[in-house]
Amino acid sequence: MSTPTILFDINETVLDLSILKPKFRHYMGDENHMSTWFAMLLHSSTVCLVTGTKTNFKSLALTALQSIAGRLNIDISDEGYRDMLGTFACLPAHDDIQPALIELRKAGFRLVALSNSSSELLESQLAQSGLRDCFDDAISVEQAQTFKPSKTAYQYALDKLQLQPSMVRLVATHDWDTHGALCAGLKAAYIDRSNAPYNPHYLLPDIVSNNMGDIAKQIIGKAQK
């Protein structure tokens, strides 16, 4: 029998983007531009996905930074952009992540990182955060020339792992991501890290909490029933 597997979204779910705020304050004058930048990055990846435009997460991240700087009439050097994107590769893990990963592995789950980040960026992020050994595998959906929440992205991960959707659960702090996984036939768990309402138009996972420790307990509890 296949080992039950948990896929983890990485950016914001596992890794804390708040370390980027001082960079945005320094280069753009307001740390709140970080949230706008990440939303623009996700929006542009979805547009490229829907229109079949081939690109990569790093290029889209830079384009979003340049777009915000243009709107603010701010001139940022190439070195400044490299500084901001370089920090994106060195994000720390949220405090509740590593203990939960350890508990899930003890309970017999296979843990896999699944990200829109490129393979190179994903490996750097996991290594810099000290979490690489916590994951059995790391999958970038860019290898399939797609982005989440495309069904193709989740199916790509399933194919690589040689698993059926019913054996896999995605953990994410983005409701569009958990919705995408559920639409692809996977189970899901939602971590509410922002206190924003879950989109009522999206499918709702059977596990919801505001911390990863409780998410892990619920996952283990359901597996034991």
Side-chain angles (χ1 to χ4, degrees), residues 123-218:
E123 289 292 347
S124 176
Q125 288 177 315
L126 294 179
Q128 292 292 332
S129 64
L131 294 178
R132 187 60 186 90
D133 290 342
C134 293
F135 290 98
D136 299 287
D137 204 346
I139 298 173
S140 164
V141 300
E142 277 189 10
Q143 296 168 0
Q145 296 186 325
T146 188
F147 295 109
K148 296 182 292 173
S150 164
K151 287 185 179 181
T152 304
Y154 306 104
Q155 188 60 51
Y156 174 71
L158 294 173
D159 291 343
K160 290 224 24 161
L161 299 169
Q162 298 184 318
L163 293 172
Q164 294 298 313
S166 61
M167 294 298 298
V168 181
R169 182 185 295 273
L170 173 81
V171 175
T173 192
H174 306 118
D175 52 8
W176 54 263
D177 202 357
T178 50
H179 172 70
L182 290 168
C183 288
L186 287 72
K187 296 187 286 289
Y190 175 69
I191 307 179
D192 180 8
R193 294 205 184 278
S194 65
N195 202 35
Y198 193 94
N199 193 317
H201 300 287
Y202 296 168
L203 296 176
L204 182 67
D206 60 338
I207 294 179
V208 176
S209 182
N210 62 4
N211 70 89
M212 190 58 221
D214 186 51
I215 293 282
K217 289 179 181 177
Q218 290 188 57

Side-chain angles (χ1 to χ4, degrees), residues 88-147:
F88 190 51
C90 303
L91 302 173
H94 287 287
D95 292 340
D96 59 355
I97 287 294
Q98 190 166 20
L101 296 180
I102 292 172
E103 287 302 310
L104 288 167
R105 292 195 79 174
K106 285 181 180 178
F109 288 90
R110 182 183 186 185
L111 308 182
V112 178
L114 179 67
S115 180
N116 280 339
S117 295
S118 66
S119 296
E120 180 182 2
L121 176 56
L122 176 57
E123 289 292 347
S124 176
Q125 288 177 315
L126 294 179
Q128 292 292 332
S129 64
L131 294 178
R132 187 60 186 90
D133 290 342
C134 293
F135 290 98
D136 299 287
D137 204 346
I139 298 173
S140 164
V141 300
E142 277 189 10
Q143 296 168 0
Q145 296 186 325
T146 188
F147 295 109

